[in-house]
Amino acid sequence: MILDGKGSWKWLTAGLSMLLFVFPDLELPGQSAEFPANPEVIPIDRPGYYGEEGSTYVLTRDIYAEKSAFFLGKDITLDLNGHTITFANGAYDSFKNGGFEDGLDGWDLTEAPGAELLETRKTRPFIGEKLLGLKKGDQIVSSYMEVPYANRSYYAICGITGHVFRDMKGDLNNEMKISLLVEDEGGKVVEVWTDYGSETTKSSPVFNKSPRLGGGFIVAHLQGLPAGKYRLRIKAETDCLVDEVGIFPAFDVGIGIIGKTHPKGHYDHLYENQHAAFYDYTANFQSGTPLPGIPQVSGRGTVTIKNGTIISGSRGVMSWGIQSTADEVQVILDRVTIINQGINATAVDVPQAHISHCRFEVNNPQLIHRHGSQHYAVDLRGKGASEVAYSAFNGGQGCLVFKGVSSSIHHNTFVNQQRVTNHYSIMAMGDSSLIFENDIVPEIGSGIEIFRHKGIEIFNNRIRIAASPPTTEYGKEEFSTAAIRIADYGDKPGSPTGAYGNKVYNNTIEVLGRAFPEYPDYTPMAWGVFYSASAGDNLIMGNHITVKHPDASSQSEAAAFYIGGGLSGFGGEFRGNQVFSNVPAAWIASRYGGTINTRLAFNQFTNTSGRDMHPFRMGWESCGSCYAKEVTFVGNSYDKMDFGIDQTKQAHSYQRMMPVKVIWKGTSQATPSIRVKEESGALIELGEFNKEGSWQTELLLESYRHPHSIVKEGYWIIVGNEKRLVSGETSNSLTFGVED
């Protein structure tokens, strides 16, 4: 699937005449004349199960499989040898107007008097340019489509936008609902009962189902059906908007590594974020034992895959280029390209990996549901450390999620195509990990999120983001994109699920604000750092941030810092950053919530607007708790503007401090003490020089507690018999002990 010049999604198809191999139960090839008779180097020329430890398997030709292609054991190498593995390469994709892009061709609307063909740009964004509006009680019936192969998994799917949150009046029970039924060639409803291990469950039809907030797909898992013609019937249980209907192959992998199968696949399993893997290759659904002959991997080990391409031959649902459930196995990918397409299409889904010089292209326009940190282009979901380096990511609903402690993500390029909420270019969920020297340039969407994790360092990255057009979930309210976000959703100080101890430094960040006047109810927002953490402090330091908002007067927002972690705990330190902005550089206590104990220190703020402007905004009156408490400003410098805050009339409190450094140049044998007095003569502080002959402090210039402000004009610094007056208008570095 590619994005055409009109902004519509077009699905990729193989378009080639190919030799198909039916996946064998067990087929290990013999030697080939192309290779020496070395028992550790085994040439292969067809799909199969390969698991002889210590062996290197080498492809001798391109491989095509109508379902999954390879299953591997551990401690082996698969050298693709420059060749391509094409999986799911069957005669699929027989229903051509599931997305209503060709109007109502192929649809029976006899029982749908309320049906109306609509444009996504005028109603709700989803897939392509058109969708169908239905009224409660409407039923639509598709034309027949060919299910070409018996006894395998398919998904019958129907996209559904769901309501935006405000339309539901805050009640998730008011979501759009449909029922999804599959009918055979005689028009009879097909009933499918499926073993998922715990119990046998009706997987088709599914009745009265809604998407989770954000829209997605209602799905029915079909398995055990004979080949033949089938059609879909959609019943609108409420008024709803539907799109992208069809029957697609499911659970295919290019290469699989099985510890246990995860035979989940019912809509309820996906709704609950249960991990699904290898359903069609399961012998025992309770134990997760794979079919006879497939290597079942246990214990520590490695699998190396290198030098070639893995590609999906058709659009599917829930498919993976490489998938592993072997929890202790490290997958090593070197110079591999993976191209996948479809709903919930994933390139790599493994516990941990070492990835270098690879390319991942994932054409995935929507997710079954967007909740949960999975179904990114690459999912590294285990606890073991991973390294991803010198690789390119293009597309996907989110590019990379990793969860291993002490992982390293560096020297990659990320081009996200995020159309669902909270699926970032990088979702950082591994404590004490490093993210550095990456280029992050999403076509649509956000950069990096640290969500409820600690000790992560993000540095020396180049990130460019822009405000997003409306999404399926957000079209009548505010929606944010961010270069970097740190979030723990108001967690308590010290909480084990808090986000703190993280550092963001030396990054170059470009933020582009944009307006979309064709959507008058929508407020697009773009931020350099979106800060919504409270469990402990995080350091944002030494970053170079440029904010450009060419239409700053419109109903849209942009800033370098967007701060709103709540009114308890910690609010982060923003230190030594250089910010160039034509709009206020920081919004402190924002639409997203209030803040407390935030510190902005030694930053340089430059006004690029060519007009008078304050560097800061504070508060949001539409929200009673969106105000600032105990915010500190110290040592910041302002170019082409002065310190100032566009603040609401809420109960803000902040203080503006003056940094003072005192240096002693006299003899070290007679270092005097330091006294600080107010202009009135009242002693407020005593100090002593350190062994290097210096002392530093911060002195109050202004204390603001709504609605009152106390301003200090200056202080006397007294060292021995010397006395100097220091104020906000004078140098903050004073030298004493110099002989005349």
Side-chain angles (χ1 to χ4, degrees), residues 488 490-494 531 533-537 565-572 595-598 629-630:
D488 61 21
D491 220 341
K492 295 180 180 180
Y531 194 93
S534 58
D537 266 327
L567 293 174
S568 63
F570 303 86
T595 191
I596 188 170
N597 295 324
T598 294
K629 291 175 62 177
E630 307 303 331

Side-chain angles (χ1 to χ4, degrees), residues 162-179:
H163 285 298
V164 297
F165 190 69
R166 291 183 183 179
D167 287 348
M168 292 187 291
K169 300 179 180 179
D171 186 353
L172 296 181
N173 292 319
N174 293 331
E175 265 289 14
M176 296 178 183
K177 296 181 177 68
I178 64 168
S179 294

Side-chain angles (χ1 to χ4, degrees), residues 520-695:
D521 297 327
Y522 177 59
T523 302
M525 305 188 296
W527 318 114
V529 177
F530 184 164
Y531 194 93
S532 55
S534 58
D537 266 327
N538 299 281
L539 180 61
I540 316 299
M541 179 180 69
N543 301 285
H544 184 284
I545 304 175
T546 302
V547 181
K548 296 179 181 178
H549 196 338
D551 193 9
S553 62
S554 65
Q555 187 180 345
S556 57
E557 308 284 0
F561 305 133
Y562 184 70
I563 304 169
L567 293 174
S568 63
F570 303 86
E573 180 170 3
F574 298 77
R575 183 182 185 89
N577 301 285
Q578 292 184 334
V579 178
F580 300 83
S581 180
N582 70 327
V583 291
W587 190 350
I588 305 160
S590 62
R591 294 176 186 263
Y592 208 75
T595 191
I596 188 170
N597 295 324
T598 294
R599 179 178 169 89
L600 294 98
F602 304 101
N603 302 287
Q604 178 184 332
F605 297 101
T606 298
N607 175 8
T608 62
S609 71
R611 55 181 171 80
D612 291 337
M613 185 180 75
H614 287 156
F616 307 116
R617 295 178 64 178
M618 186 174 283
W620 180 247
E621 287 183 324
S622 297
C623 162
S625 61
C626 296
Y627 62 91
K629 291 175 62 177
E630 307 303 331
V631 173
T632 298
F633 302 93
V634 56
N636 300 296
S637 61
Y638 308 95
D639 184 15
K640 300 177 184 176
M641 59 182 168
D642 297 319
F643 174 84
I645 303 175
D646 292 329
Q647 59 181 298
T648 62
K649 296 180 180 180
Q650 295 167 282
H652 304 300
S653 62
Y654 63 84
Q655 55 187 358
R656 190 159 53 96
M657 306 296 291
M658 173 176 58
V660 176
K661 183 176 183 179
V662 182
I663 301 171
W664 175 251
K665 291 294 186 179
T667 62
S668 58
Q669 290 81 9
T671 305
S673 61
I674 305 160
R675 292 171 292 163
V676 181
K677 293 184 177 182
E678 292 189 342
E679 281 194 300
S680 64
L683 180 67
I684 63 167
E685 191 170 355
L686 292 172
E688 298 289 340
F689 289 107
N690 60 23
K691 61 182 181 180
E692 286 80 27
S694 68
W695 177 77

Side-chain angles (χ1 to χ4, degrees), residues 94-120:
S94 58
F95 185 44
K96 302 304 181 186
N97 192 32
F100 306 100
E101 298 304 299
D102 295 325
L104 300 176
D105 288 352
W107 287 96
D108 179 353
L109 274 62
T110 305
E111 300 177 72
E116 183 181 5
L117 188 66
L118 301 169
E119 296 181 49
T120 52

